[in-house]
Amino acid sequence: MLNAIALATKSSLRASPHHAKSFFSYSTRSPARNKVLSLESMNEAVKNVEYAVRGELALKAESLRVDLAQKKPLPFERVIGCNIGNPQQLYQKPITFFRQVVSLCENPDLLVPKNREVLLQLYPKDAIVRAEMLLRDVISVGAYSHSKGVPSIRRNVAKFIEKRDGVPANPEHIFLTQGASSGVQTILQVITKNQHTGIMIPIPQYPLYSATLSLFNATPVPYYLDESNQWALNMDDMEASVKEARSKGTDVRALCIINPGNPTGQCLSEENIRQVIDFCHRERIILLADEVYQTNIYQPGRKPFHSFKKILHQMGEEYKDVELVSFHSISKGMIGECGRRGGYFEMVGIDEDVVDQIYKLVSANLCPNVQGQILVDLMTNPPQKGDESYPQYQEEIGAIYESLKRRAVKLANCFNGMEGVTCNEAEGAMYVFPKITLPQKAIEAAKKAGKEPDNYYCLEMLDATGVCVVNGSGFGQAPNTWHLRSTFLPEEHLFDEFCGKLEKFHAQFLAKYKD
Amino acid sequence: MLNAIALATKSSLRASPHHAKSFFSYSTRSPARNKVLSLESMNEAVKNVEYAVRGELALKAESLRVDLAQKKPLPFERVIGCNIGNPQQLYQKPITFFRQVVSLCENPDLLVPKNREVLLQLYPKDAIVRAEMLLRDVISVGAYSHSKGVPSIRRNVAKFIEKRDGVPANPEHIFLTQGASSGVQTILQVITKNQHTGIMIPIPQYPLYSATLSLFNATPVPYYLDESNQWALNMDDMEASVKEARSKGTDVRALCIINPGNPTGQCLSEENIRQVIDFCHRERIILLADEVYQTNIYQPGRKPFHSFKKILHQMGEEYKDVELVSFHSISKGMIGECGRRGGYFEMVGIDEDVVDQIYKLVSANLCPNVQGQILVDLMTNPPQKGDESYPQYQEEIGAIYESLKRRAVKLANCFNGMEGVTCNEAEGAMYVFPKITLPQKAIEAAKKAGKEPDNYYCLEMLDATGVCVVNGSGFGQAPNTWHLRSTFLPEEHLFDEFCGKLEKFHAQFLAKYKD
């Protein structure tokens, strides 16, 4: 089973559409020497890194955008990027109060007394007060901060966590990061001792994890999510997986879990969370909880979000030595500030000497970008009831939330309505991960073209509709199944048209390759 | 000679003043199990990473700041951070036009027609036009961009390079990065095949390089700069260094060079640059040119800046296959936007398949933060003659430049005036690196305290004056010499007082430890 993990193939980035002749091309007069830095001589691990979210399909979509800009005739008017959770690229509006605060932090000249009267015509008072408070703490957004992140912001993150979970949080164990991705890589780098280090990853998973394990030459130890049970955990499979890996000499020491799931969109039940914590406690495994979609919860009654930290605390004294790192980000939720690269991780039960080593490691990169840190502050400490900007903030958050919820349902229904396609609902996050039954003729055509069948389907979809998704092999899937991941982020007023394109394409694909 | 490299000791970060008891401390009722993640089990390479710029002295300075805030009696009123090139933390003003543009990019609501009349009371028209242009390209600063960086910004960087060097630049070979540090680490990661990979680094060097080599377990191959010759290169030493390393089986494949130098502040002569290029060409070595201080040039008549790319191009056909990566940043120059994390690298003569691999690698981290990219655009494409904001821009840049130049001279003179201290002038960058002759009694006291002598001197300086510098062992120095690195960034109106503190302390130190 483990050998059958269909992760993104190495072919995904082979042909770069952006090849341009080097301006310093070899003279034809003298024989060219080999390059010092070549595919053969370079770091092998880098060659093994695959990140399908920006792989072959994304590169193809790029070149189609260029074609459209050059007015080439194509069967669609625009390329719709559903390969990546990038809400503001698809015109989701940022949160007004947040952008007001950060724009004031950018330009402190606006805050001088002589500008106040004019400023108040453009900015609410509470945004001004917040910016002044932040600037007192950071001095300037252009100055390096503390390497763990601005202390007052870490204190606010601690308060946010305490309020969410009812459990104390230590600001010295909270590190701000350039997006959650950066934090995940830092932690995995510290944990990976050598190529025998085993890190458990869910299948399907967000390929930052598999890419990072390739880069650090660690051993992935997969555990399968159960598609027939709404992508729930299968504890038997998890137990078997670690047993098998350890019997082969793999030093399994950490488990990555994504809740809500990416690409799968499930919200883990409280029972599943307890089971995982108990498993990690029994098996001496560090728990790495990717919780970046914790506010993208579409069935809060039936499937609310529970942080791993909160449940761990509730499980009491016996579990006190569990080692947990939780990750959060400003990229997702309803705020979607991906391009800003901000987030944090919180360490619980991690050895203090190791915390110091991590602090030392991140200090060599000085600090995460300060505006990203400020967005973390705003995300975790938004306008409160009674604040001037609160009604607008609530309204904006609510509108985006309701819209995401509607689109989540629409897209799952759209796929479920297609012949040979089943799609679990998205209880959370920003994606659906439908299973597509491909006709045998299509599978053969794919083989002939040297492509994985799901990749082949997605490439044909892109060519026919301009919609760019990511093939399931980019995330991992059960053997002999084919999936794709699509976001549900296209603008709501164009969503029916978007679903229509997918339906039409699927019908045409089946007709073309019917047995 | 190679064994005597006095890089920062492992003790630099041992005692963290921020140790706080874990809230999940072990129960005293049951015996504690060992942590899964401990100093013993973690990634060894991380433990070998040292970054003295934010090491023991910086941590001590932090705790003294806390003491001052708690009104503890100390012999000084404020801590002056001269350990790090962080101009805006010491109140250097950001460039007005830049901050106007980025604040508009943050808050597109400001740009709607109904706000225009009010907006024009706060912003010049050209800043508005620039922001609108940038937003057309990025859509939102909250959206992930192209993983190499926004294409139009890369085109502007290419134009900047062409204008500076008179040589064409290919935007597809320009990658925007989160500060130059991030780019340096990416390139070194790709180049490092295994522990036998040798990377030449200057001694003294900026410890990002040594830290990164430790992290990737590559072999540092040092070459000494010549203090007696204004920190010029010593080509004989360079040749001998690579010969010796290769004879021991080290696969020397790249050379890092910092121009202007950090910590040493020299601007390489054109002759030195040609010699290095020729050396790399002959010895089949990839040239990595850190040029982040290229606008901090204080003797432009005698020692102007020459980019490695320009000189390489001038050297003609024979050198066409040299592999060069040049790094630049928004953190330095006169703009000092450190906390924003922006920069780029340009690859020349690098194998196209390797370029694709690097593109694939950086795509797993999505993109550098977009506002940092926008600052790169502004830095390389600032207001031009005839633009409304040009006079103010020129005036601000000029004022900061002249002030840096004055302070560079003042601080070098200050150290040169001290007994037993010599200090090469800072031809460029932001630092001086004086050599301190320490009395034997001081060296013995240091040994007794378990400290390197230069670290001991710097700790005593911090305790007596509140001035935080970095000891020379953090950068590397010739055996049995002691140095320190100090920035000359303290505000000009306080500079004489600052120099006075250093002079007074030095005299007291000599008196205390005189033989």
Side-chain angles (χ1 to χ4, degrees):
Chain A
M1 181 198 272
L2 295 178
N3 292 333
I5 298 167
L7 295 172
T9 63
K10 288 187 172 45
S11 67
S12 65
L13 267 174
R14 189 65 39 81
S16 161
H18 298 295
H19 265 200
K21 267 178 60 125
S22 165
F23 282 96
F24 289 97
S25 52
Y26 292 125
S27 161
T28 50
R29 283 166 290 178
S30 45
R33 301 189 288 180
N34 286 339
K35 291 287 187 185
V36 179
L37 188 58
S38 66
L39 282 183
E40 290 69 46
S41 69
M42 67 178 279
N43 181 338
E44 280 295 316
V46 171
K47 288 193 286 186
N48 294 330
V49 167
E50 300 293 344
Y51 184 69
V53 172
R54 281 214 156 162
E56 179 180 7
L57 283 149
L59 290 174
K60 180 115 195 256
E62 258 313 292
S63 75
L64 289 172
R65 278 192 183 92
V66 172
D67 290 349
L68 279 174
Q70 294 170 354
K71 312 273 188 247
K72 291 198 181 145
L74 289 167
F76 46 84
E77 285 159 1
R78 61 179 194 131
V79 170
I80 306 174
C82 292
N83 54 309
I84 182 171
N86 195 9
Q88 294 190 22
Q89 199 215 16
L90 292 163
Y91 308 101
Q92 176 176 303
K93 280 206 69 201
I95 302 301
T96 303
F97 179 78
F98 292 1
R99 292 304 193 88
Q100 288 170 336
V101 172
V102 291
S103 70
L104 290 169
C105 289
E106 281 297 357
N107 192 0
D109 283 351
L110 295 173
L111 297 166
V112 299
K114 75 170 169 69
N115 285 331
R116 187 54 51 106
E117 203 182 316
V118 180
L119 196 67
L120 285 166
Q121 297 180 54
L122 295 170
Y123 287 85
K125 274 208 206 75
D126 55 357
I128 295 172
V129 166
R130 189 67 175 266
E132 289 175 331
M133 198 180 349
L134 283 159
L135 285 172
R136 273 197 295 276
D137 286 330
V138 310
I139 300 174
S140 166
V141 300
Y144 291 126
S145 75
H146 192 289
S147 292
K148 288 186 188 181
V150 178
S152 63
I153 295 178
R154 287 186 279 122
R155 286 194 293 272
N156 281 340
V157 171
K159 285 191 200 126
F160 159 79
I161 293 169
E162 288 171 0
K163 190 168 161 197
R164 182 195 67 193
D165 296 343
V167 186
N170 181 352
E172 292 307 322
H173 293 161
I174 293 166
F175 283 41
L176 302 185
T177 55
Q178 310 242 54
S181 300
S182 172
V184 166
Q185 291 200 317
T186 296
I187 294 297
L188 286 174
Q189 186 165 42
V190 171
I191 288 176
T192 301
K193 197 169 181 72
N194 53 45
Q195 74 263 39
H196 303 298
T197 298
I199 310 284
M200 301 185 73
I201 55 173
I203 300 299
Q205 47 97 48
Y206 172 53
L208 166 73
Y209 291 93
S210 45
T212 303
L213 298 187
S214 293
L215 187 60
F216 299 146
N217 211 19
T219 300
V221 178
Y223 61 94
Y224 279 82
L225 304 178
D226 188 348
E227 185 162 17
S228 69
N229 188 17
Q230 192 61 22
W231 296 116
L233 295 177
N234 178 338
M235 294 311 300
D236 292 338
D237 178 76
M238 210 184 263
E239 308 263 6
S241 185
V242 74
K243 215 179 232 87
E244 178 173 357
R246 282 175 172 166
S247 72
K248 288 180 174 166
T250 299
D251 172 21
V252 183
R253 32 167 81 180
L255 178 141
C256 301
I257 190 155
I258 312 171
N259 183 40
N262 176 5
T264 44
Q266 85 285 16
C267 294
L268 292 175
S269 65
E270 193 176 329
E271 188 191 357
N272 262 183
I273 294 175
R274 284 175 169 266
Q275 287 169 322
V276 169
I277 292 170
D278 179 69
F279 170 81
C280 290
H281 174 72
R282 260 185 295 115
E283 296 293 343
R284 312 285 349 274
I285 283 172
I286 305 155
L287 189 38
L288 308 180
D290 178 337
E291 299 175 327
V292 304
Y293 296 100
Q294 60 185 268
T295 57
N296 299 106
I297 306 294
Y298 306 122
Q299 299 176 27
R302 195 176 73 79
K303 279 292 200 74
F305 170 74
H306 304 284
S307 77
F308 271 86
K309 185 183 181 195
K310 182 181 81 173
I311 305 298
L312 170 61
H313 181 78
Q314 286 172 0
M315 288 168 73
E317 205 57 22
E318 186 194 341
Y319 294 88
K320 272 203 149 154
D321 68 353
V322 167
E323 292 157 66
L324 166 68
V325 186
S326 309
F327 302 86
H328 198 12
S329 169
I330 62 171
S331 300
K332 310 300 175 188
M334 271 60 73
I335 71 176
E337 293 284 355
C338 309
R340 207 177 289 281
R341 319 312 281 112
Y344 70 80
F345 60 78
E346 182 194 16
M347 293 175 282
V348 170
I350 302 294
D351 182 276
E352 284 296 341
D353 287 335
V354 173
V355 173
D356 285 346
Q357 288 290 321
I358 296 170
Y359 180 20
K360 180 189 70 168
L361 177 63
V362 302
S363 74
N365 273 318
L366 279 320
C367 72
N369 83 82
V370 174
Q371 284 285 43
Q373 296 187 45
I374 285 174
L375 244 304
V376 170
D377 189 78
L378 290 164
M379 174 179 78
T380 55
N381 185 21
Q384 299 297 307
K385 212 169 191 171
D387 293 346
E388 180 182 349
S389 296
Y390 178 75
Q392 181 187 59
Y393 169 76
Q394 278 294 98
E395 200 242 293
E396 287 175 347
I397 292 282
I400 293 169
Y401 171 76
E402 294 297 333
S403 175
L404 284 168
K405 196 167 147 184
R406 285 189 295 267
R407 287 178 278 165
V409 170
K410 268 199 164 164
L411 193 56
N413 287 348
C414 168
F415 279 110
N416 272 314
M418 295 178 194
E419 188 184 333
V421 180
T422 56
C423 186
N424 284 331
E425 53 187 355
E427 297 170 342
M430 292 177 172
Y431 317 96
V432 291
F433 197 66
K435 181 165 70 173
I436 321 267
T437 308
L438 294 170
Q440 191 53 37
K441 274 176 100 172
I443 293 175
E444 283 157 18
K447 272 200 173 67
K448 219 171 150 189
K451 302 281 179 208
E452 292 293 320
D454 51 4
N455 191 17
Y456 187 76
Y457 177 90
C458 296
L459 285 163
E460 294 234 332
M461 177 193 285
L462 177 56
D463 280 337
T465 65
V467 175
C468 180
V469 298
V470 189
N471 51 314
S473 12
F475 303 87
Q477 55 203 344
N480 297 319
T481 65
W482 311 111
H483 297 76
L484 60 84
R485 185 189 82 166
S486 175
T487 74
F488 39 85
L489 298 177
E491 301 143 272
E492 197 163 12
H493 68 282
L494 300 172
F495 211 79
D496 288 341
E497 184 192 320
F498 163 65
C499 290
K501 288 181 189 240
L502 299 177
E503 287 158 352
K504 184 173 166 198
F505 163 74
H506 185 76
Q508 285 170 344
F509 187 90
L510 289 188
K512 183 173 172 185
Y513 293 103
K514 75 174 170 230
D515 300 311
Chain B
M1 182 200 270
L2 295 177
N3 291 336
I5 298 168
L7 293 173
T9 63
K10 287 185 171 52
S11 66
S12 65
L13 266 175
R14 191 62 41 80
S16 162
H18 298 296
H19 265 200
K21 265 175 65 119
S22 164
F23 282 96
F24 289 97
S25 50
Y26 292 127
S27 161
T28 49
R29 283 167 288 178
S30 46
R33 300 188 290 180
N34 286 336
K35 292 287 188 186
V36 178
L37 187 58
S38 65
L39 283 184
E40 291 67 45
S41 69
M42 69 178 277
N43 180 337
E44 279 295 316
V46 170
K47 288 193 284 184
N48 295 328
V49 167
E50 300 293 345
Y51 184 69
V53 171
R54 281 215 156 162
E56 179 181 8
L57 283 149
L59 290 174
K60 180 115 195 257
E62 260 311 293
S63 73
L64 289 172
R65 277 192 184 93
V66 171
D67 289 348
L68 278 174
Q70 294 169 354
K71 313 273 188 241
K72 288 196 184 148
L74 289 168
F76 46 85
E77 285 158 0
R78 62 179 195 133
V79 170
I80 306 172
C82 292
N83 54 309
I84 183 172
N86 196 8
Q88 294 189 23
Q89 199 216 16
L90 292 164
Y91 308 101
Q92 177 176 304
K93 280 205 71 205
I95 301 302
T96 303
F97 179 78
F98 292 1
R99 292 303 192 88
Q100 288 169 335
V101 172
V102 291
S103 71
L104 291 170
C105 291
E106 281 297 357
N107 191 1
D109 283 351
L110 296 174
L111 297 167
V112 299
K114 74 168 170 66
N115 284 331
R116 187 54 51 105
E117 203 181 317
V118 180
L119 196 66
L120 284 167
Q121 296 180 55
L122 294 171
Y123 287 86
K125 272 206 207 77
D126 55 356
I128 295 171
V129 166
R130 189 67 175 266
E132 287 174 332
M133 198 180 350
L134 283 158
L135 285 172
R136 272 197 297 275
D137 287 329
V138 309
I139 300 175
S140 166
V141 300
Y144 291 126
S145 75
H146 192 289
S147 292
K148 287 186 188 181
V150 178
S152 63
I153 295 177
R154 285 185 281 121
R155 286 193 293 272
N156 281 339
V157 171
K159 285 191 200 128
F160 158 80
I161 293 169
E162 288 171 0
K163 189 171 161 193
R164 182 194 66 193
D165 295 343
V167 187
N170 181 354
E172 292 308 324
H173 292 162
I174 293 166
F175 282 41
L176 302 186
T177 55
Q178 310 241 54
S181 299
S182 172
V184 165
Q185 292 200 315
T186 297
I187 295 297
L188 286 175
Q189 186 164 42
V190 171
I191 289 175
T192 301
K193 198 168 180 73
N194 53 45
Q195 72 264 37
H196 304 297
T197 298
I199 311 284
M200 300 185 74
I201 55 173
I203 301 297
Q205 47 98 47
Y206 172 53
L208 166 74
Y209 292 93
S210 46
T212 303
L213 298 188
S214 293
L215 187 60
F216 298 146
N217 210 21
T219 301
V221 179
Y223 62 94
Y224 280 80
L225 303 178
D226 188 350
E227 185 162 18
S228 68
N229 188 16
Q230 192 60 26
W231 297 115
L233 296 175
N234 177 337
M235 293 311 300
D236 292 337
D237 178 74
M238 209 183 263
E239 309 262 5
S241 184
V242 75
K243 216 180 228 88
E244 178 173 358
R246 281 175 171 164
S247 73
K248 288 179 175 166
T250 299
D251 172 21
V252 183
R253 33 166 81 181
L255 178 142
C256 301
I257 190 156
I258 311 171
N259 182 41
N262 175 6
T264 44
Q266 85 285 18
C267 294
L268 292 176
S269 65
E270 192 176 332
E271 187 191 356
N272 263 183
I273 295 174
R274 287 176 166 265
Q275 286 169 323
V276 169
I277 291 170
D278 180 70
F279 170 81
C280 290
H281 173 73
R282 262 187 292 114
E283 296 294 342
R284 312 284 349 274
I285 285 172
I286 305 156
L287 189 38
L288 307 179
D290 178 338
E291 298 176 328
V292 304
Y293 296 99
Q294 60 186 268
T295 57
N296 299 104
I297 306 293
Y298 306 122
Q299 301 177 24
R302 195 175 72 80
K303 279 293 200 72
F305 171 74
H306 305 284
S307 79
F308 271 87
K309 185 183 180 195
K310 182 181 81 171
I311 304 299
L312 171 60
H313 181 79
Q314 285 173 0
M315 287 169 74
E317 206 55 24
E318 186 194 342
Y319 293 88
K320 270 198 153 157
D321 67 354
V322 167
E323 292 156 69
L324 166 68
V325 186
S326 309
F327 302 86
H328 197 11
S329 168
I330 62 171
S331 300
K332 311 299 175 189
M334 271 59 74
I335 71 176
E337 292 283 357
C338 310
R340 207 179 289 281
R341 321 310 282 110
Y344 70 80
F345 59 78
E346 183 194 16
M347 293 174 283
V348 170
I350 302 294
D351 181 279
E352 284 295 342
D353 287 335
V354 172
V355 173
D356 285 346
Q357 289 290 320
I358 296 170
Y359 181 20
K360 180 189 69 171
L361 177 62
V362 302
S363 74
N365 272 318
L366 281 319
C367 71
N369 83 81
V370 175
Q371 284 284 43
Q373 297 188 46
I374 286 175
L375 245 303
V376 171
D377 190 79
L378 291 163
M379 175 179 78
T380 55
N381 185 22
Q384 299 297 308
K385 213 167 189 175
D387 292 346
E388 180 182 349
S389 296
Y390 178 74
Q392 178 187 61
Y393 169 77
Q394 277 293 99
E395 200 242 292
E396 288 175 347
I397 293 281
I400 294 170
Y401 171 76
E402 294 297 334
S403 175
L404 284 168
K405 196 167 145 183
R406 285 189 296 265
R407 286 178 279 167
V409 171
K410 268 201 163 166
L411 194 56
N413 287 347
C414 168
F415 278 110
N416 272 314
M418 296 179 194
E419 189 184 331
V421 179
T422 57
C423 185
N424 284 330
E425 53 188 355
E427 297 170 342
M430 292 177 172
Y431 317 94
V432 291
F433 198 67
K435 180 165 71 175
I436 321 267
T437 308
L438 294 169
Q440 191 53 36
K441 271 174 101 174
I443 294 175
E444 284 158 18
K447 271 199 173 68
K448 218 170 151 193
K451 302 282 178 208
E452 292 293 320
D454 51 3
N455 191 17
Y456 188 77
Y457 177 91
C458 295
L459 285 163
E460 294 233 333
M461 178 194 284
L462 178 55
D463 280 337
T465 66
V467 175
C468 179
V469 298
V470 188
N471 51 314
S473 12
F475 303 86
Q477 54 203 344
N480 297 319
T481 65
W482 312 111
H483 297 76
L484 61 84
R485 185 189 82 165
S486 175
T487 75
F488 38 84
L489 298 175
E491 302 143 88
E492 197 163 13
H493 69 281
L494 299 173
F495 212 79
D496 287 342
E497 183 192 320
F498 162 65
C499 289
K501 287 181 190 239
L502 301 177
E503 287 159 352
K504 184 173 165 197
F505 162 73
H506 184 75
Q508 285 171 343
F509 187 90
L510 288 189
K512 182 173 173 186
Y513 293 104
K514 75 172 170 232
D515 301 312

